[in-house]
Amino acid sequence: REYYAPEYHETSKIDWNVPDRRTLLHWKPNIITNSDGQVKTSFFNGDRTGKMVLICEGITSNGKVGYSELFYEVDNP
């Protein structure tokens, strides 16, 4: 399944009048970690405020499953 993600690379092309109400902000099923099991990625928050949860799920090449939840708050500026 493919999820929509707006192109925010060029801020001059963003229509700031259209609210970003996505509930899924980032989906990247093919992230590969380094030898220490770490990776960096980035994403843009939507226009919703409040508590957010970041869910990370993974599977190793030998079938072990990993799962983690991180929580953060988005305030209205």
Side-chain angles (χ1 to χ4, degrees), residues 14-76:
I14 299 172
D15 185 352
W16 296 101
N17 295 314
V18 177
D20 185 347
R21 302 271 188 230
R22 293 172 295 143
T23 55
L24 178 68
L25 296 176
H26 187 63
W27 173 262
K28 192 167 185 180
N30 57 351
I31 292 178
I32 298 174
T33 61
N34 64 16
S35 60
D36 296 326
Q38 297 182 1
V39 69
K40 289 184 180 184
T41 189
S42 62
F43 62 93
F44 288 92
N45 278 312
D47 290 329
R48 297 175 186 259
T49 59
K51 290 185 179 180
M52 304 291 168
V53 61
L54 176 68
I55 299 173
C56 300
E57 298 176 317
I59 188 166
T60 67
S61 58
N62 60 0
K64 292 185 178 181
V65 175
Y67 180 88
S68 181
E69 291 181 358
L70 303 164
F71 297 90
Y72 66 99
E73 184 105 13
V74 176
D75 295 327
N76 193 0

